[in-house]
Amino acid sequence: MAASSLPQDLKNQLTAKRFYSCYEVDDWLLGHFEDIATLQSKGLLDAEYIKEGFSWYIGKAGANSAIMRYIADGDEGVYGGFRSLVAQVPER
């Protein structure tokens, strides 16, 4: 496993909990992806910019089986923006 380049205090905060609530997942992760997708749909961000700036994050979240199960268990229309972003970025 490659060493993380995250600051140690951030790593400690992220790994201190064994799980995150659905509200935390929504607020801290998926909501931001939905915002990016909304900005793209309004023409404020283009696909190339999103790929260059966010593909690593989108790819990691899209490859996370727990996150994808969480999304699959919800309403089909929820997180459509995130689903479209995952489809746009190359697989990692």
Side-chain angles (χ1 to χ4, degrees):
M1 185 170 172
S4 172
S5 61
L6 291 174
Q8 189 60 44
D9 61 331
L10 180 57
K11 282 193 256 185
N12 293 343
Q13 288 176 4
L14 293 171
T15 58
K17 296 175 79 169
R18 291 193 43 87
F19 64 90
Y20 290 88
S21 73
C22 61
Y23 303 108
E24 291 168 323
V25 171
D26 291 342
D27 291 346
W28 295 349
L29 180 68
L30 297 175
H32 297 293
F33 291 131
E34 288 296 303
D35 293 342
I36 291 168
T38 298
L39 293 171
Q40 182 183 28
S41 72
K42 297 196 177 289
L44 299 171
L45 293 177
D46 65 19
E48 190 59 36
Y49 180 81
I50 292 169
K51 286 179 189 174
E52 288 176 15
F54 302 102
S55 65
W56 186 88
Y57 304 101
I58 295 165
K60 288 291 187 182
N64 185 294
S65 61
I67 290 171
M68 296 311 289
R69 273 194 316 273
Y70 171 74
I71 291 171
D73 288 345
D75 294 333
E76 190 167 322
V78 177
Y79 299 117
F82 174 68
R83 294 172 202 247
S84 74
L85 292 174
V86 170
Q88 291 178 48
V89 300
E91 289 189 31
R92 296 197 167 272

